[in-house]
Amino acid sequence: MALTKGFKALLDDSYRLIETVTADEAKALLNHPDVVFVDIRDVRELEHEGVIPGSFHAPRGMLEFWVDPESPYYKDIFGSGKSFVFYCASAWRSCLATRAMQDMGLSPVAQLGGGFTAWKAAGGPVIPREDNPGPKA
């Protein structure tokens, strides 16, 4: 079976269409009351690596369902009118997720360039998952 479009092409297409914020730009947004950082990593990654303080965890596999008000899994935070910055470990999953959210009409959305890895390298604060004061589902 030959794919008509691989993950690299999907990423390239998405990067051209979405907004990406650098780790330094994201650090400046961290405590802004109208910005929600959305961590789409697997729960094991959060437990092992920690999280951005105040972030909201929305597993990548459930994101479309949590964003859609028609879904039985809808989460009110996505109807808050706030800006959303999606992140994963290295910005591949968040790139595709940000594109999907944009395609669904969620706005404004962006992704954290370089992901959680870039955040940590830029000196962004990290806390244990269980200590996260972020919005709850």
Side-chain angles (χ1 to χ4, degrees), residues 19-26 29 37 85 110-114:
E19 179 183 353
T20 298
V21 296
T22 67
D24 287 332
E25 291 168 334
L29 296 171
F37 284 79
V85 177
Q111 74 140 350
L112 172 58

Side-chain angles (χ1 to χ4, degrees), residues 51 53-54 127-134 136:
V51 299
I127 61 172
R129 175 181 181 223
E130 62 272 4
D131 294 343
N132 189 19
K136 303 302 177 205

Side-chain angles (χ1 to χ4, degrees), residues 116-127:
F116 193 63
T117 302
W119 176 266
K120 291 187 302 185
V126 174
I127 61 172

